[in-house]
Amino acid sequence: MRRLTQPRRTGLLASIRAALAALCLTSSFAAAAADGAPPTPAPPASTPPAANTPSFWDPNRTPEKPDVSGLRQIRFLTEDDYPPFNFLLSDGQVAGFNIDLARAICVELDTACTIQRRRWDLLIPALNDNSGDAIIASLAINDETRKQVDFSGPYMLTPGRFAMQADTTLTSASPAALSDRPVAVVAGSRHEAFLQAFYPRSTLVTFETPALARDALKKGRVQAVFGDAIALSYWLNGAEAAGCCVFRDGPFTDPKYFGEGVGIAVKKGNAPLRRALDYALSRLAQRGVFAELYLKYFPVGPF
């Protein structure tokens, strides 16, 4: 069991916290939704998603709205130490992509919601003892977690991506372009395994941490770095990178290496709530709400 991805506690993480804390003060969702107050009904307008945002739903399929007459409230469970998905503001309120998405779901379903914080290791036990109805905390969908909970469809992935110096003469990150070139990667990671399988002619330069790999690229010691696209996107957009580098090609989403993504977890057998969540996620994608949230938290998108 694990999150979608687990960033190390570095200066990058601190800068993400500061930037997102300021960003979330202007959130468009009413705080009353988190306190259990009935949300404002969603507008009927449909907005196509932005071209540079990922889509996890079939745009040609109009979902049938399930019967939600018995759904009085959704008690979401989350954690507070995984920015930009879940984190604490200076006033002690939990915020982040998952939090705004939970509130948007409640607006779409025209139901009240509460958001409760738990330690990461207590999330599934809290769901199973009926302390909450759904976990929205970037919980990875995999064989282990499926034994314990049921999932909505995935709403996020962590692809792998290459970053290169902005003034590089390389026009692509293909295996041919990176043949015999030094590429930084974290030792023992899924990203290293991917490069070993598909970039056998590249010269892999391994590092203990993502920060060290990124620093090697910034200083010109390697031609590229390959790693977690979400962490790389924040680095590229932050002061630490100082505009040194850009994404090149990708994203790479092979589930063998990068997983099946994350979903909203519900108690085993709770099909009515799972169907309602799938409907709401699909509608949010169709109306462009998911794209707005994605761009809010991922301005230099991992996709």
Side-chain angles (χ1 to χ4, degrees):
M1 181 174 62
R2 60 179 176 82
R3 297 174 175 86
L4 174 65
T5 179
Q6 178 57 61
R8 292 177 181 266
R9 303 300 188 253
T10 64
L12 173 65
L13 197 57
S15 65
I16 291 174
R17 289 182 188 277
L20 287 173
L23 178 68
C24 286
L25 292 176
T26 60
S27 173
S28 60
F29 291 98
D35 298 325
T40 302
S46 178
T47 305
N52 60 339
T53 60
S55 177
F56 306 103
W57 303 274
D58 183 354
N60 299 315
R61 179 179 174 270
T62 302
E64 181 178 350
K65 185 174 183 178
D67 180 9
V68 293
S69 59
L71 190 62
R72 302 295 181 87
Q73 175 178 267
I74 303 175
R75 298 170 299 161
F76 281 104
L77 300 166
T78 191
E79 60 147 0
D80 60 16
D81 193 26
Y82 191 52
F85 296 96
N86 320 283
F87 58 94
L88 285 180
L89 296 174
S90 58
D91 62 1
Q93 294 297 309
V94 66
F97 178 81
N98 285 330
I99 309 309
D100 279 0
L101 183 60
R103 291 173 179 161
I105 287 169
C106 291
V107 170
E108 187 63 50
L109 295 175
D110 193 17
T111 188
C113 68
T114 61
I115 298 173
Q116 308 171 35
R117 301 198 326 259
R118 292 287 193 280
R119 272 197 350 238
W120 172 254
D121 59 320
L122 297 179
L123 287 171
I124 290 179
L127 180 68
N128 287 330
D129 71 13
N130 292 317
S131 296
D133 303 308
I135 298 171
I136 186 163
S138 299
L139 183 62
I141 302 171
N142 57 41
D143 291 342
E144 181 183 353
T145 53
R146 282 196 194 93
K147 295 175 183 177
Q148 303 175 72
V149 297
D150 288 341
F151 282 100
S152 70
Y155 65 87
M156 184 59 74
L157 298 171
T158 300
R161 289 200 73 173
F162 288 97
M164 298 182 181
Q165 290 200 341
D167 61 356
T168 182
T169 59
L170 294 175
T171 58
S172 81
S174 67
L178 290 175
S179 178
D180 298 322
R181 305 272 187 168
V183 178
V185 69
V186 173
S189 67
R190 54 187 173 166
H191 304 96
E192 182 185 24
F194 180 85
L195 292 179
Q196 289 171 340
F198 297 102
Y199 287 74
R201 296 183 62 187
S202 295
T203 302
L204 304 190
V205 184
T206 59
F207 294 89
E208 184 179 349
T209 69
L212 291 173
R214 294 190 298 261
D215 188 62
L217 174 64
K218 182 179 179 181
K219 292 179 178 177
R221 293 167 52 197
V222 294
Q223 292 281 300
V225 62
F226 185 66
D228 181 313
I230 290 178
L232 281 173
S233 72
Y234 274 95
W235 178 69
L236 293 174
N237 198 47
E240 186 180 350
C244 73
C245 307
V246 294
F247 276 135
R248 182 75 76 215
D249 293 349
F252 299 89
T253 59
D254 186 335
K256 177 181 177 181
Y257 296 94
F258 307 112
E260 301 175 53
V262 303
I264 302 173
V266 301
K267 197 171 182 179
K268 294 289 283 185
N270 193 349
L273 180 55
R274 178 180 54 78
R275 285 193 292 266
L277 293 170
D278 278 332
Y279 167 80
L281 288 169
S282 180
R283 285 289 296 146
L284 292 174
Q286 287 185 337
R287 295 196 300 104
V289 175
F290 182 86
E292 291 176 5
L293 292 179
Y294 175 85
L295 293 173
K296 173 182 176 180
Y297 288 97
F298 305 99
V300 178
F303 290 86

